[in-house]
Amino acid sequence: FTCGDFTAVAILSQLSIPLTIVNDPKVKNQFRIQFCPSKSDDYKIEIRSYGIQLRDSPVIFKIIDPSKIIIDEIVEEAGPMYIATFIPKKVTTYYLTVNYSGYNIIDKKPFEVDYPIDASQCKANGSGLAFALANKENCITIDTSHAGQGTLKIDMHGVHEQPKLNLQEQENKKYILSYLAKQPGAYLLNVKWSGDHIPGSPFKINVEQGGVNKVHSYGRGLREGHFGDSAEFTVSTTEAGPGNLKVQVMGPHSEADHNIESQKDGSYVIQYYPKEVGKHQIFVSFNDQAIQGSPFTSRITRPPNAGKVSVEGPGLRSDILDGFNGRFIVDTRTAGPGVLRVRIYGPKGAFAVNMARNADIERLIDVQYNPTEIGHYKIDIKWSDVHIPGSPFDIWIVSCDDELKKIQVYENTEGWVKYV
C-alpha cells in the first residue's frame, strides 16, 4: 500500500475537512493521519480506500484545548496515591480524563461532572460600596457562601490611581475587602466570581476628601439641660476620616465635667454634668479645628417640678350646666421650666380647650372650656408630662340643683368623684 491508496476526512458540524496521510517512518505499511483542529470539539474521522470505508471507520476524537485544562495541582501522598484538584471557572459540564504516562488508565469515556457556580448568589454590602473617604481604610463584606465553588477576583481603579486592596477570607466563604484611595474622585470596583460579575458589579464608588467640614453634631444637650442631671449630644466623624475629637463645656463660673464614649462607627456620645444654672458654652473641635456651630450655647435650668404647680377656679368644681363657668388658672411660677398640657374628656370624648398666658402676672395660664352636655368630665393637667397635685380632676355637670346636691366628693390618693 501507499499513501495514495487512502483518503481521510474530518467531519465537524457537517463540514468535511481534508486530512493529510503520510508514511510512518518507523513502521512499514503504517500510515499517519495529520490535521490541525480549529477548535476544541468532537471530530469524526472517516478513512476510505478507493471510496470504501475501512473497518472501525469512522473514528471519534475529542480535541481538547490545553489552555482550558484547569487542574491546579497534583499532590502525591503516601504510597502511589495522587489527588488532583481544580476550581471550576464557570457553570458548565466538565470532562475529566485520567492518564498515566500517556495511557488512559480509566476504561471509560471521560467523566462528566457538573459544578453549580452561580455568581448571582453572591452578596456585597457595606458603606464602602457607595461612599468612601480618601486616605482612610474603607471596608466591604462579600458573601459567596451560596455561590458554589468558585474563585473571587477583585480590581479597582480610578482616573488617577489604583487603590491598594486587601482581601481577607473569613469563615463560611465570606470575605472582607478593605481599600485605601489617596485621591478623591470616582472609582470603579469590579467583583467577579469565577469570571462573572456579582450583582451590582461594577460598583461606582465616590471617594471624598474628609475633614472638619464633614463633622456633624446633634442632640438636645447642645441647646438645653437641667442642673443636677446629665445632658447629652452626639458628634459624628464618619465622613471626616481619622482625627482627634476634643470637647470642653464651660459654665458661667466653672467648667462642667464630661465624658466621650465612642460608638465604634465614627460617632461619639458626649455627656456633661452641669454644676450650676445658666448659659454654658460647648466647644467642640476636630483635629484642633472648631466644627460647624461651635461653640454651642446650652441653657441650663433647674428641672421642672410638677409638685410646685397649683391650680384654682370654678372650672374644677361640679356644677349645673346652665350657667357653668369652665375657667381655671394654672400657677407655674415656682415649678421651674416646663411645658403645660391640659386635656379634658367629656361624655363624648375629648374636646377643645383654650389656654392663654395671663396678661398681668407672668407664668399664670388661664384655661377655659365650655361643656355642652351633662355627665362626667375628666381633666388632666401635666407639667412636663407629670401630673400636678390633684390631677386628674373629676367633675360632674348636672341639669339641676337637686342633682348637684346628690354629688358626694371622695378624696383619695388619685382624687375622684362618685355620683350617687
Side-chain angles (χ1 to χ4, degrees):
F1 290 99
T2 65
C3 294
D5 295 325
F6 301 98
T7 60
V9 294
I11 300 176
L12 175 66
S13 300
Q14 298 183 348
L15 295 177
S16 296
I17 305 171
L19 307 181
T20 302
I21 301 178
V22 298
N23 289 306
D24 190 330
K26 297 181 180 180
V27 182
K28 186 178 180 180
N29 291 329
Q30 186 166 302
F31 304 91
R32 291 182 178 180
I33 298 175
Q34 300 176 340
F35 74 103
C36 182
S38 60
K39 63 177 182 177
S40 58
D41 209 329
D42 290 332
Y43 289 78
K44 181 169 70 172
I45 309 298
E46 292 184 352
I47 306 171
R48 298 176 184 270
S49 177
Y50 298 100
I52 301 175
Q53 284 203 68
L54 300 185
R55 186 179 61 184
D56 297 329
S57 176
V59 180
I60 306 297
F61 289 89
K62 173 175 263 317
I63 303 301
I64 299 175
D65 183 352
S67 67
K68 295 184 178 180
I69 296 177
I70 52 179
I71 290 182
D72 290 327
E73 59 180 328
I74 297 178
V75 181
E76 183 175 0
E77 294 189 343
M81 300 298 295
Y82 295 84
I83 296 177
T85 63
F86 74 96
I87 298 177
K89 305 297 183 182
K90 61 181 180 179
V91 180
T92 186
T93 298
Y94 290 85
Y95 297 91
L96 277 65
T97 302
V98 182
N99 292 283
Y100 185 77
S101 296
Y103 294 95
N104 186 354
I105 63 174
I106 303 296
D107 188 21
K108 292 181 180 180
K109 66 179 182 179
F111 296 104
E112 294 184 6
V113 185
D114 291 322
Y115 287 88
I117 304 174
D118 190 355
S120 68
Q121 298 301 312
C122 296
K123 297 179 181 179
N125 56 67
S127 60
L129 277 178
F131 173 83
L133 292 173
N135 297 303
K136 179 186 177 182
E137 189 176 79
N138 303 275
C139 294
I140 297 169
T141 300
I142 303 171
D143 184 352
T144 67
S145 58
H146 301 290
Q149 294 294 332
T151 54
L152 186 63
K153 184 177 180 180
I154 298 172
D155 67 83
M156 184 177 183
H157 60 274
V159 177
H160 303 292
E161 67 166 320
Q162 284 187 303
K164 181 180 179 181
L165 305 179
N166 181 27
L167 184 65
Q168 294 183 343
E169 185 173 0
Q170 309 295 305
E171 294 181 352
N172 300 324
K173 297 172 63 178
K174 296 180 180 179
Y175 300 82
I176 294 179
L177 170 67
S178 60
Y179 65 90
L180 189 149
K182 295 181 180 180
Q183 298 293 330
Y187 290 78
L188 283 179
L189 173 66
N190 295 293
V191 182
K192 294 182 179 181
W193 184 246
S194 290
D196 294 327
H197 284 282
I198 73 169
S201 177
F203 299 94
K204 184 177 180 180
I205 300 175
N206 186 33
V207 177
E208 295 187 1
Q209 189 69 50
V212 68
N213 292 332
K214 296 294 184 178
V215 178
H216 306 286
S217 59
Y218 54 91
R220 181 180 177 183
L222 292 173
R223 304 181 305 273
E224 60 185 353
H226 294 142
F227 170 68
D229 197 3
S230 64
E232 182 178 293
F233 63 92
T234 300
V235 176
S236 175
T237 65
T238 304
E239 301 178 7
N244 185 30
L245 180 68
K246 293 182 180 179
V247 176
Q248 185 181 32
V249 183
M250 295 297 301
H253 304 99
S254 62
E255 181 176 354
D257 296 332
H258 72 277
N259 59 61
I260 303 175
E261 182 177 352
S262 172
Q263 303 303 295
K264 310 299 183 183
D265 60 357
S267 63
Y268 300 83
V269 174
I270 294 91
Q271 286 186 322
Y272 64 95
Y273 306 88
K275 301 176 182 178
E276 54 189 330
V277 173
K279 291 182 179 179
H280 284 57
Q281 299 294 313
I282 303 174
F283 300 86
V284 182
S285 64
F286 184 72
N287 288 338
D288 295 324
Q289 291 183 291
I291 72 170
Q292 185 177 0
S294 179
F296 303 89
T297 299
S298 178
R299 181 171 174 264
I300 303 301
T301 59
R302 297 189 180 278
N305 187 350
K308 297 292 186 179
V309 177
S310 61
V311 60
E312 180 57 45
L316 298 176
R317 295 188 289 270
S318 300
D319 209 337
I320 300 172
L321 178 62
D322 187 17
F324 180 78
N325 183 357
R327 179 175 180 265
F328 58 88
I329 297 175
V330 182
D331 186 349
T332 68
R333 287 176 291 180
T334 61
V339 177
L340 178 67
R341 288 187 173 87
V342 178
R343 299 285 187 272
I344 300 179
Y345 305 89
K348 294 185 178 180
F351 59 91
V353 178
N354 297 317
M355 294 193 298
R357 290 185 175 89
N358 190 284
D360 299 322
I361 304 176
E362 187 178 0
R363 300 192 60 167
L364 288 187
I365 295 92
D366 288 315
V367 181
Q368 179 72 47
Y369 68 102
N370 301 299
T372 58
E373 296 187 24
I374 62 173
H376 175 234
Y377 288 77
K378 179 181 178 182
I379 303 174
D380 286 343
I381 304 176
K382 294 182 179 180
W383 185 242
S384 292
D385 295 325
V386 179
H387 281 286
I388 71 169
S391 177
F393 297 89
D394 289 276
I395 68 167
W396 289 81
I397 307 249
V398 296
S399 59
C400 61
D401 189 59
D402 289 340
E403 291 182 351
L404 183 62
K405 292 179 181 179
K406 296 179 180 179
I407 295 176
Q408 297 179 351
V409 179
Y410 296 85
E411 297 288 342
N412 64 11
T413 56
E414 296 180 349
W416 53 278
V417 298
K418 181 179 180 181
Y419 184 73
V420 294

